[in-house]
């Protein structure tokens, strides 16, 4: 279905990003993973994609928050794969704390990685998409960006910002055949949620009564990548949490 296409997945070394890279590879896409430090884990995901699905897959080390570094990395991926067709902005971090005591650095770090990171990647890929008159962008937002969440002012602001970015990019690039959508997960079983406390207690806030598996988020991402007539959408995959 995606044979011959190249997908960049930021934060593809573990969790939702790794599941998404494998899902897109299973549909035939070549995979370029970008991570800021966990390069060996990213290379292991690439090796699995190549072995299982016969696609080309490679990992790059870059900080998505860095404009110049992401520019160079997108250029290197284009040189290696011959083009870029799909961009999944999944890299993200948390630095939780109550607003009354949140450090300025904690606010800046989360906005830089989660929101500016997506801007940087879209900014550097959009020229390639426009020239090809094709492109699929999926930004990983969160229910925290829809509902807010105590202790996550920085994170919720970054994820709400991603929704505004998604809708504007969707409107700007639609005439060129490019779609831009967001997926808003609720609780997902990954390293990010492993320190939050008992899953059972937290899952009480989820109508479907459990956390999502990363693969369930990857399914939604792949659906949006394959959809030609959906753009500017925010697809909640949250077990009913934010309805
Ligand atoms: P995770 O397990 O912590 O993985 C995060 C990934 O992002 C890693 O591959 C990490 O690699 C990469 N990354 C972080 N900062 C980066 C940077 N500055 N530049 C490049 N790569 C960077 O997270 P996850 O739970 O899978 O979450 C993935 C996305 O889904 C995030 O955007 C998150 O906010 C969102 N989300 C998660 C949940 C959840 O419940 N887990 C819910 C809603 C939304 P390095 O450490 O090597 O950089």
């Amino acid at each position: 279905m995606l044979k011959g296409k190249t997908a960049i997945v930021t934060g593809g070394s573990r969790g939702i990003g790794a599941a998404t890279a494998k899902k897109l590879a299973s549909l035939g896409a070549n995979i370029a993973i970008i991570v800021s430090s966990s390069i060996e884990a990213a290379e292991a995901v690439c090796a699995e994609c190549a072995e299982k699905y016969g696609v080309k897959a490679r990992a790059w080390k870059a900080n998505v928050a860095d404009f110049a570094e992401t520019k160079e990395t997108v250029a290197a991926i284009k040189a290696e794969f011959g083009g870029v067709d799909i961009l999944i902005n999944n890299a993200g971090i948390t630095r939780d704390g109550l607003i009354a005591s949140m450090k300025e650095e904690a606010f800046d770090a989360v906005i830089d990685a989660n929101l500016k990171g997506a801007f940087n990647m879209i900014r550097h890929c959009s020229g390639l998409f426009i020239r090809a008159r094709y492109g699929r962008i999926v930004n990983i937002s969160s229910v925290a960006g829809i509902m807010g969440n105590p202790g996550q002012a920085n994170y919720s602001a970054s994820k709400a910002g991603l929704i505004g970015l998604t809708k504007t990019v969707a409107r700007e690039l639609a005439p060129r055949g490019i779609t831009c959508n967001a997926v808003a997960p609720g609780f997902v079983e990954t390293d990010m949620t492993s320190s939050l406390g008992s899953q059972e207690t937290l899952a009480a806030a989820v109508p479907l009564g459990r956390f999502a598996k990363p693969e369930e988020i990857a399914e939604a991402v792949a659906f949006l990548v394959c959809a030609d007539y959906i753009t500017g959408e925010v697809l909640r995959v949250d077990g009913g949490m934010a309805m």
Side-chain angles (χ1 to χ4, degrees), residues 11-16 34-38 62-64 90-93 113 140-142 155 159 185-188 190-193:
S13 59
R14 57 179 186 265
I16 295 168
I34 298 177
V35 290
S36 70
S37 62
S38 53
N63 176 4
V64 293
N90 163 81
I93 58 168
I140 308 299
S141 178
S142 166
Y155 184 79
K159 295 300 181 178
F187 289 123
V188 189
T190 70
D191 289 358
M192 190 177 267
T193 51

Side-chain angles (χ1 to χ4, degrees), residues 3-186:
K3 201 166 164 40
K5 303 244 186 280
T6 294
I8 297 180
V9 182
T10 68
S13 59
R14 57 179 186 265
I16 295 168
T20 299
K22 290 177 204 172
K23 177 69 195 178
L24 297 179
S26 78
L27 298 174
N30 296 320
I31 302 296
I33 289 178
I34 298 177
V35 290
S36 70
S37 62
S38 53
I39 192 76
E40 279 166 20
E43 279 166 353
V45 173
C46 288
E48 188 180 333
C49 290
E51 247 170 59
K52 259 197 180 160
Y53 306 112
V55 300
K56 190 168 165 180
R58 252 202 76 181
W60 274 265
K61 194 169 159 182
N63 176 4
V64 293
D66 187 311
F67 189 84
E69 221 171 281
T70 46
K71 185 174 182 184
E72 274 172 32
T73 307
V74 170
I77 292 169
K78 182 185 177 270
E80 174 85 19
F81 289 86
V84 178
D85 308 282
I86 298 159
L87 169 63
I88 313 300
N89 283 311
N90 163 81
I93 58 168
T94 52
R95 293 275 193 286
D96 295 353
L98 295 172
I99 188 68
S101 54
M102 183 174 283
K103 296 234 171 10
E104 184 185 4
E105 296 77 25
F107 189 84
D108 290 346
V110 170
I111 297 292
D112 284 353
N114 298 7
L115 181 56
K116 192 178 173 212
F119 160 74
N120 286 339
M121 292 302 301
I122 295 171
R123 169 71 177 75
H124 301 316
C125 289
S126 55
L128 302 175
F129 293 161
I130 288 168
R131 278 193 289 284
R133 299 195 74 82
Y134 176 90
R136 296 283 175 267
I137 303 166
V138 180
N139 298 318
I140 308 299
S141 178
S142 166
V143 291
I146 298 172
M147 307 161 72
N149 194 26
Q152 290 198 310
N154 48 1
Y155 184 79
S156 314
S158 74
K159 295 300 181 178
L162 271 181
I163 292 174
L165 179 67
T166 298
K167 292 181 180 181
T168 295
V169 170
R171 286 184 187 277
E172 276 190 28
L173 299 184
R176 314 297 185 115
I178 299 158
T179 68
C180 182
N181 292 289
V183 170

